[in-house]
């Protein structure tokens, strides 16, 4: 009985260690948290019932007793050194040259690059495979014994994995707190009205030096190895091999190790800067090392740093400069963004002279004024941002800027939806800044459906100023298009034909094509069905509009302000004069055809005489709602050849099923 319990305990320990390894070292867990907790609970229970069977290195034995006094001092058998810094590409190249000179080599030796984790150095000593000592770096010669605290770090194995390891193995690495863990921990601390930490590095250092291991066990610390201290036998001939060997032994190693020649290291540096913000932990540079251990030993040390390795630091991400002006930029969708013009400053590795201010709420939150001295941050490839104003340096002349009331490009009034931070130009159809976006929308499939007029052609037409408003599209001739963007006679004619065909449209499509803010396809259809004619819609009051299904106060005011702009009404008139027309009113369709209002229809499979979009449009004109999936609420399923799961589902739910012929018969009643 006891034997089988002892066996089960060993089994659980092995299994839990494997899961710890999968999670912390391989970053590839194979079970979920609750299954893991279940295993831990079973182990704890068995150990509680059989205290004599508790293994001191069981995963349940991470939290030990609090030391009576502070941490004991320990002298490192092999000193813990620091690294010299490199600040730019020249310095890196000089570092490589120095290495070549010292080794009297002409070729660059194989090198490695890895992130320089921003935490604190730790040495962990294993004897006969068991963790026996963990020490901080201290002054490099003597550190503090933090073994009890380090045992609580879940990613550090208490026992090495496998059966072959050096009798003495000192692993050197960095204790860090990941960004997300840091944020969650600070949140918890602040909810408990406790002191929060300023950054992940301080949080890791403060936690590791906390005297009570039971508190440390609640701090989400991580560890990644980057080297060795004392070892009784070598783990490999190169740094890369050593890191692989440590990984095999269950130790999490510094991720992102790159091995290659100097050029590959330079590339790795730039990639790492670009990745920096997306990484789960904070890094402050890249550590470069000579890969071969023999060459490392040949190179030796100067003072307190090795000659074979250096820390290639990242450019500072923050710097202060003067804000010269706040300009207004109108985006492709009409959003008006305040943009900061800066006295040029070198930050994040580039010279920055503009920064985004996002919106006017941000301008008032920062209380930023032209003339201010500001702190600029440029992280990774992210657009530079102003993070704060240096209040003490504000000149007397710095006055706040006013929120604009008119678009700086087309002078149309600006609008701001309730609760939205963004202000927008309301002159969609006529605003030069929005021209391309608007025209793309106008020609799109669900709007005027002008096949053949794509983004590229629109860009050319806009650049040549042949097309300023959508009406200009209908003034183009095949002759003028010929030769544009390698267009031949035939394709020029095809474009003109497509434009001509689009003149026969529906009121709903036309309304949608106008690009009134928040008037999507569905709203356009409802508006078309309700008002029946453009004149009636233009004359509709705010109250009339609010009566329409799906139209609330915001949409109603967008519609009103759109039609209030004279230029919008004149472009619409031009379009109509150029021949755009639609059958008179979905209203009459509703009166003549079958009334499908309140019904939900679904289309599946292929239709031969029309596209699914066309069929949907006609069904909607009759009042039906067309949905993409079959449910108990579906009234009719139209099934063409190739119908699959929707058909099966409709059959099982007893939904009416008709084919294309029946659909055509129904629609021809119109
Ligand atoms: S190698 C002989 N590799 O940076 C010293 N150090 O400024 C070997 N650090 O004390 C250090 N990430 O705490 C090395 N990938 C990495 C590192 C790294 C962070 C820290 C380490 C060291 C300090 C030196």
């Amino acid at each position: 009985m006891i034997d089988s319990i002892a066996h089960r305990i060993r089994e659980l320990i092995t299994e839990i260690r494997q899961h710890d390894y999968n999670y912390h070292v391989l970053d590839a867990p194979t079970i979920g948290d609750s299954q893991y907790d279940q295993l831990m609970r079973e182990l704890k229970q068995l150990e509680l019932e059989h205290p004599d069977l508790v293994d001191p290195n069981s995963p349940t034995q991470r939290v030990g007793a609090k030391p009576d006094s502070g941490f004991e001092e320990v002298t490192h058998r092999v000193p813990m050194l620091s690294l010299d810094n490199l600040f730019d590409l020249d310095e890196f190249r000089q570092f490589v040259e120095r290495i070549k000179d010292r080794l009297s080599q002409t070729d660059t030796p194989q090198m490695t690059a890895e992130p320089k984790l921003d935490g604190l150095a730790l040495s962990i000593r294993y004897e006969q495979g068991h963790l026996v000592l963990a020490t901080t770096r201290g002054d490099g010669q003597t550190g503090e014994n933090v073994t009890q605290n380090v045992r609580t770090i879940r990613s550090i194995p208490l026992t090495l994995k496998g059966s072959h390891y050096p009798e003495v193995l000192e692993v050197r690495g960095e204790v860090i707190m990941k960004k997300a863990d840091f944020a969650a921990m600070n949140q918890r601390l602040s909810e408990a009205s406790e002191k929060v930490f300023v950054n992940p590095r301080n949080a890791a250092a403060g936690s590791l030096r906390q005297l009570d291991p039971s508190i440390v066990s609640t701090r989400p610390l991580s560890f990644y190895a980057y080297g060795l201290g004392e070892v009784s036998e070598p783990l490999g001939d190169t740094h890369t091999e050593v890191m692989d060997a440590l990984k095999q032994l269950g130790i999490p190693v510094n991720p992102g190790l790159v091995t290659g020649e100097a050029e590959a290291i330079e590339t790795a540096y730039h990639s790492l800067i670009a990745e920096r913000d997306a990484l789960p932990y904070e890094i402050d540079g890249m550590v470069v090392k000579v890969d071969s251990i023999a060459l490392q030993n040949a190179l030796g040390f100067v003072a307190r740093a090795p000659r074979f390795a250096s820390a290639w630091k990242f450019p500072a991400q923050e710097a202060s400069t003067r804000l010269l002006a706040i300009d207004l930029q109108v985006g492709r969708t009409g959003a008006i963004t305040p943009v900061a013009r800066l006295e040029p400053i070198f930050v994040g590795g580039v010279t920055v002279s503009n920064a985004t201010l996002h919106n006017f709420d941000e301008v008032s939150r920062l209380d930023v004024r032209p003339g201010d001295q500001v702190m600029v941050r440029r992280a990774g490839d992210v657009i530079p941002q102003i993070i704060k104003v240096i209040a003490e340096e504000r000149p007397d002349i710095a006055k706040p800027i006013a929120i604009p009331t008119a678009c700086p490009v087309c002078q149309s009034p600006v609008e701001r939806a309730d609760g939205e931070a963004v202000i927008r130009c309301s002159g969609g159809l006529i605003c030069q800044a929005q021209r391309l976006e608007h025209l793309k929308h106008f020609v799109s499939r669900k709007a005027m459906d002008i096949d053949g007029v794509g983004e590229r052609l629109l860009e050319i037409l806009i650049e040549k100023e042949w097309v300023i408003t959508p009406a200009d599209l209908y003034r183009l001739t095949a002759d003028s298009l010929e030769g544009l963007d390698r267009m031949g006679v035939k394709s020029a004619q095809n474009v003109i034909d497509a434009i001509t065909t689009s003149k026969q449209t529906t009121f709903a499509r036309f309304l949608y094509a106008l690009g009134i803010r928040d008037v999507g396809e569905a709203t356009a259809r409802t508006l078309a069905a309700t008002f029946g004619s453009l004149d009636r819609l233009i004359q509709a009051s705010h109250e009339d509009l609010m009566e329409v299904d799906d139209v609330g106060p915001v949409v109603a005011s967008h519609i009103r302000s759109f039609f209030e702009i004279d230029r919008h009404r004149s472009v619409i008139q031009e379009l109509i004069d150029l021949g755009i027309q639609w059958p008179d009113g979905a209203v009459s369709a509703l009166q003549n055809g079958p009334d499908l209002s309140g019904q939900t229809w679904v289309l599946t499979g292929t239709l031969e005489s029309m596209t699914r979009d066309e069929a949907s449009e006609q069904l909607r004109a009759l009042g039906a709602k067309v949905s993409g999936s079959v449910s108990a609420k579906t009234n009719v399923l139209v099934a063409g050849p190739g119908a699959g799961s929707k058909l099966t589902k409709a059959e099982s739910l007893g939904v009416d099923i008709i084919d294309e012929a029946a659909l055509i018969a129904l629609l021809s009643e119109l």
Side-chain angles (χ1 to χ4, degrees), residues 81-83 114-117 121 137 174 226 254 287 289 306:
L81 302 173
S82 68
L83 293 171
E114 61 199 283
K116 183 169 188 303
L117 302 175
R137 175 170 181 274
E174 199 85 350
Y226 53 63
N254 199 342
V287 179
K289 300 173 183 166

PDB file of all heavy atoms in Angstrom, residues 81-83 114-117 121 137 174 226 254 287 289 306, ligand 1:
ATOM      1  N   LEU A  81      30.811  38.925 -13.368  1.00  0.00           N
ATOM      2  CA  LEU A  81      31.346  40.135 -13.989  1.00  0.00           C
ATOM      3  C   LEU A  81      30.235  41.002 -14.575  1.00  0.00           C
ATOM      4  O   LEU A  81      29.077  40.614 -14.586  1.00  0.00           O
ATOM      5  CB  LEU A  81      32.321  39.738 -15.098  1.00  0.00           C
ATOM      6  CG  LEU A  81      33.472  38.874 -14.612  1.00  0.00           C
ATOM      7  CD1 LEU A  81      34.291  38.376 -15.779  1.00  0.00           C
ATOM      8  CD2 LEU A  81      34.353  39.654 -13.633  1.00  0.00           C
ATOM      9  N   SER A  82      30.653  42.160 -15.047  1.00  0.00           N
ATOM     10  CA  SER A  82      29.662  42.952 -15.792  1.00  0.00           C
ATOM     11  C   SER A  82      30.146  43.074 -17.238  1.00  0.00           C
ATOM     12  O   SER A  82      31.140  42.453 -17.615  1.00  0.00           O
ATOM     13  CB  SER A  82      29.442  44.297 -15.131  1.00  0.00           C
ATOM     14  OG  SER A  82      30.609  45.054 -15.267  1.00  0.00           O
ATOM     15  N   LEU A  83      29.448  43.846 -18.030  1.00  0.00           N
ATOM     16  CA  LEU A  83      29.785  43.938 -19.461  1.00  0.00           C
ATOM     17  C   LEU A  83      30.119  45.373 -19.830  1.00  0.00           C
ATOM     18  O   LEU A  83      29.543  46.314 -19.286  1.00  0.00           O
ATOM     19  CB  LEU A  83      28.586  43.498 -20.310  1.00  0.00           C
ATOM     20  CG  LEU A  83      28.177  42.033 -20.219  1.00  0.00           C
ATOM     21  CD1 LEU A  83      26.852  41.826 -20.942  1.00  0.00           C
ATOM     22  CD2 LEU A  83      29.254  41.134 -20.834  1.00  0.00           C
ATOM     23  N   GLU A 114      21.982  37.956 -28.184  1.00  0.00           N
ATOM     24  CA  GLU A 114      20.777  37.617 -27.421  1.00  0.00           C
ATOM     25  C   GLU A 114      20.286  38.867 -26.710  1.00  0.00           C
ATOM     26  O   GLU A 114      21.063  39.796 -26.473  1.00  0.00           O
ATOM     27  CB  GLU A 114      21.072  36.502 -26.424  1.00  0.00           C
ATOM     28  CG  GLU A 114      22.128  36.868 -25.416  1.00  0.00           C
ATOM     29  CD  GLU A 114      22.749  35.648 -24.741  1.00  0.00           C
ATOM     30  OE1 GLU A 114      22.102  35.099 -23.861  1.00  0.00           O
ATOM     31  OE2 GLU A 114      23.881  35.280 -25.109  1.00  0.00           O
ATOM     32  N   PRO A 115      19.015  38.924 -26.375  1.00  0.00           N
ATOM     33  CA  PRO A 115      18.497  40.112 -25.701  1.00  0.00           C
ATOM     34  C   PRO A 115      19.198  40.353 -24.367  1.00  0.00           C
ATOM     35  O   PRO A 115      19.541  39.389 -23.675  1.00  0.00           O
ATOM     36  CB  PRO A 115      17.026  39.780 -25.453  1.00  0.00           C
ATOM     37  CG  PRO A 115      16.711  38.609 -26.295  1.00  0.00           C
ATOM     38  CD  PRO A 115      17.979  37.908 -26.604  1.00  0.00           C
ATOM     39  N   LYS A 116      19.421  41.596 -24.040  1.00  0.00           N
ATOM     40  CA  LYS A 116      19.949  41.922 -22.715  1.00  0.00           C
ATOM     41  C   LYS A 116      18.747  42.193 -21.824  1.00  0.00           C
ATOM     42  O   LYS A 116      18.104  43.244 -21.906  1.00  0.00           O
ATOM     43  CB  LYS A 116      20.858  43.146 -22.778  1.00  0.00           C
ATOM     44  CG  LYS A 116      21.491  43.467 -21.435  1.00  0.00           C
ATOM     45  CD  LYS A 116      22.586  44.510 -21.594  1.00  0.00           C
ATOM     46  CE  LYS A 116      23.382  44.719 -20.324  1.00  0.00           C
ATOM     47  NZ  LYS A 116      22.586  45.109 -19.166  1.00  0.00           N
ATOM     48  N   LEU A 117      18.415  41.206 -21.035  1.00  0.00           N
ATOM     49  CA  LEU A 117      17.222  41.291 -20.200  1.00  0.00           C
ATOM     50  C   LEU A 117      17.454  42.296 -19.082  1.00  0.00           C
ATOM     51  O   LEU A 117      18.530  42.340 -18.485  1.00  0.00           O
ATOM     52  CB  LEU A 117      16.901  39.915 -19.606  1.00  0.00           C
ATOM     53  CG  LEU A 117      16.675  38.799 -20.627  1.00  0.00           C
ATOM     54  CD1 LEU A 117      16.493  37.472 -19.932  1.00  0.00           C
ATOM     55  CD2 LEU A 117      15.463  39.118 -21.479  1.00  0.00           C
ATOM     56  N   ALA A 121      21.052  40.023 -11.982  1.00  0.00           N
ATOM     57  CA  ALA A 121      21.810  38.795 -12.207  1.00  0.00           C
ATOM     58  C   ALA A 121      21.663  37.846 -11.023  1.00  0.00           C
ATOM     59  O   ALA A 121      21.562  38.270  -9.872  1.00  0.00           O
ATOM     60  CB  ALA A 121      23.273  39.143 -12.421  1.00  0.00           C
ATOM     61  N   ARG A 137      24.193  39.001  -7.438  1.00  0.00           N
ATOM     62  CA  ARG A 137      25.517  39.357  -7.913  1.00  0.00           C
ATOM     63  C   ARG A 137      26.306  40.124  -6.851  1.00  0.00           C
ATOM     64  O   ARG A 137      27.516  39.935  -6.716  1.00  0.00           O
ATOM     65  CB  ARG A 137      25.365  40.203  -9.186  1.00  0.00           C
ATOM     66  CG  ARG A 137      26.648  40.736  -9.730  1.00  0.00           C
ATOM     67  CD  ARG A 137      26.434  41.338 -11.105  1.00  0.00           C
ATOM     68  NE  ARG A 137      27.696  41.828 -11.611  1.00  0.00           N
ATOM     69  CZ  ARG A 137      28.182  43.025 -11.349  1.00  0.00           C
ATOM     70  NH1 ARG A 137      27.501  43.855 -10.583  1.00  0.00           N
ATOM     71  NH2 ARG A 137      29.349  43.384 -11.850  1.00  0.00           N
ATOM     72  N   GLU A 174      19.365  35.898 -15.543  1.00  0.00           N
ATOM     73  CA  GLU A 174      18.706  37.130 -15.111  1.00  0.00           C
ATOM     74  C   GLU A 174      17.323  36.811 -14.550  1.00  0.00           C
ATOM     75  O   GLU A 174      16.559  36.050 -15.155  1.00  0.00           O
ATOM     76  CB  GLU A 174      18.588  38.057 -16.339  1.00  0.00           C
ATOM     77  CG  GLU A 174      18.360  39.501 -16.024  1.00  0.00           C
ATOM     78  CD  GLU A 174      19.659  40.294 -15.741  1.00  0.00           C
ATOM     79  OE1 GLU A 174      20.743  39.664 -15.596  1.00  0.00           O
ATOM     80  OE2 GLU A 174      19.574  41.520 -15.646  1.00  0.00           O
ATOM     81  N   TYR A 226      21.916  32.802 -19.088  1.00  0.00           N
ATOM     82  CA  TYR A 226      22.733  33.278 -20.204  1.00  0.00           C
ATOM     83  C   TYR A 226      24.181  32.837 -20.107  1.00  0.00           C
ATOM     84  O   TYR A 226      25.001  33.223 -20.921  1.00  0.00           O
ATOM     85  CB  TYR A 226      22.647  34.798 -20.354  1.00  0.00           C
ATOM     86  CG  TYR A 226      22.943  35.589 -19.089  1.00  0.00           C
ATOM     87  CD1 TYR A 226      24.198  35.535 -18.487  1.00  0.00           C
ATOM     88  CD2 TYR A 226      21.963  36.391 -18.504  1.00  0.00           C
ATOM     89  CE1 TYR A 226      24.469  36.254 -17.334  1.00  0.00           C
ATOM     90  CE2 TYR A 226      22.227  37.114 -17.351  1.00  0.00           C
ATOM     91  CZ  TYR A 226      23.480  37.039 -16.762  1.00  0.00           C
ATOM     92  OH  TYR A 226      23.740  37.749 -15.629  1.00  0.00           O
ATOM     93  N   ASN A 254      17.920  32.162 -22.130  1.00  0.00           N
ATOM     94  CA  ASN A 254      17.606  33.431 -22.763  1.00  0.00           C
ATOM     95  C   ASN A 254      17.048  33.189 -24.168  1.00  0.00           C
ATOM     96  O   ASN A 254      17.725  32.609 -25.012  1.00  0.00           O
ATOM     97  CB  ASN A 254      18.884  34.266 -22.829  1.00  0.00           C
ATOM     98  CG  ASN A 254      18.590  35.735 -23.022  1.00  0.00           C
ATOM     99  OD1 ASN A 254      17.484  36.091 -23.424  1.00  0.00           O
ATOM    100  ND2 ASN A 254      19.556  36.577 -22.739  1.00  0.00           N
ATOM    101  N   VAL A 287      23.179  41.517 -26.058  1.00  0.00           N
ATOM    102  CA  VAL A 287      24.510  41.090 -25.628  1.00  0.00           C
ATOM    103  C   VAL A 287      25.149  40.289 -26.761  1.00  0.00           C
ATOM    104  O   VAL A 287      24.531  39.367 -27.293  1.00  0.00           O
ATOM    105  CB  VAL A 287      24.437  40.244 -24.342  1.00  0.00           C
ATOM    106  CG1 VAL A 287      25.832  39.788 -23.918  1.00  0.00           C
ATOM    107  CG2 VAL A 287      23.781  41.030 -23.221  1.00  0.00           C
ATOM    108  N   LYS A 289      28.439  37.984 -27.985  1.00  0.00           N
ATOM    109  CA  LYS A 289      29.499  37.161 -27.400  1.00  0.00           C
ATOM    110  C   LYS A 289      30.227  36.421 -28.505  1.00  0.00           C
ATOM    111  O   LYS A 289      29.643  36.141 -29.553  1.00  0.00           O
ATOM    112  CB  LYS A 289      28.888  36.114 -26.438  1.00  0.00           C
ATOM    113  CG  LYS A 289      28.109  36.706 -25.297  1.00  0.00           C
ATOM    114  CD  LYS A 289      27.382  35.651 -24.457  1.00  0.00           C
ATOM    115  CE  LYS A 289      26.575  36.354 -23.377  1.00  0.00           C
ATOM    116  NZ  LYS A 289      25.595  35.508 -22.707  1.00  0.00           N
ATOM    117  N   PRO A 306      34.473  40.765 -19.359  1.00  0.00           N
ATOM    118  CA  PRO A 306      35.167  39.883 -20.300  1.00  0.00           C
ATOM    119  C   PRO A 306      35.496  40.635 -21.591  1.00  0.00           C
ATOM    120  O   PRO A 306      34.818  41.596 -21.932  1.00  0.00           O
ATOM    121  CB  PRO A 306      34.134  38.799 -20.576  1.00  0.00           C
ATOM    122  CG  PRO A 306      32.818  39.434 -20.302  1.00  0.00           C
ATOM    123  CD  PRO A 306      33.036  40.499 -19.283  1.00  0.00           C
TER     124      PRO A 306
HETATM  125  S1  LIG B   1      26.261  37.835 -20.186  1.00  0.00           S
HETATM  126  C1  LIG B   1      30.495  37.967 -17.875  1.00  0.00           C
HETATM  127  N1  LIG B   1      23.932  37.903 -21.221  1.00  0.00           N
HETATM  128  O1  LIG B   1      23.756  42.406 -17.928  1.00  0.00           O
HETATM  129  C2  LIG B   1      29.157  38.595 -17.774  1.00  0.00           C
HETATM  130  N2  LIG B   1      24.351  39.303 -19.338  1.00  0.00           N
HETATM  131  O2  LIG B   1      25.767  44.547 -17.824  1.00  0.00           O
HETATM  132  C3  LIG B   1      28.198  37.796 -18.588  1.00  0.00           C
HETATM  133  N3  LIG B   1      22.399  40.595 -18.630  1.00  0.00           N
HETATM  134  O3  LIG B   1      25.382  41.399 -15.000  1.00  0.00           O
HETATM  135  C4  LIG B   1      26.936  38.494 -18.754  1.00  0.00           C
HETATM  136  N4  LIG B   1      21.014  39.817 -20.126  1.00  0.00           N
HETATM  137  O4  LIG B   1      22.956  40.689 -15.300  1.00  0.00           O
HETATM  138  C5  LIG B   1      24.718  38.397 -20.268  1.00  0.00           C
HETATM  139  N5  LIG B   1      21.860  37.833 -22.242  1.00  0.00           N
HETATM  140  C6  LIG B   1      22.659  38.303 -21.279  1.00  0.00           C
HETATM  141  C7  LIG B   1      22.197  39.242 -20.336  1.00  0.00           C
HETATM  142  C8  LIG B   1      23.092  39.720 -19.389  1.00  0.00           C
HETATM  143  C9  LIG B   1      21.155  40.621 -19.089  1.00  0.00           C
HETATM  144  C10 LIG B   1      22.888  41.395 -17.484  1.00  0.00           C
HETATM  145  C11 LIG B   1      23.682  40.599 -16.492  1.00  0.00           C
HETATM  146  C12 LIG B   1      24.986  41.302 -16.340  1.00  0.00           C
HETATM  147  C13 LIG B   1      24.695  42.645 -16.902  1.00  0.00           C
HETATM  148  C14 LIG B   1      25.955  43.222 -17.461  1.00  0.00           C
END
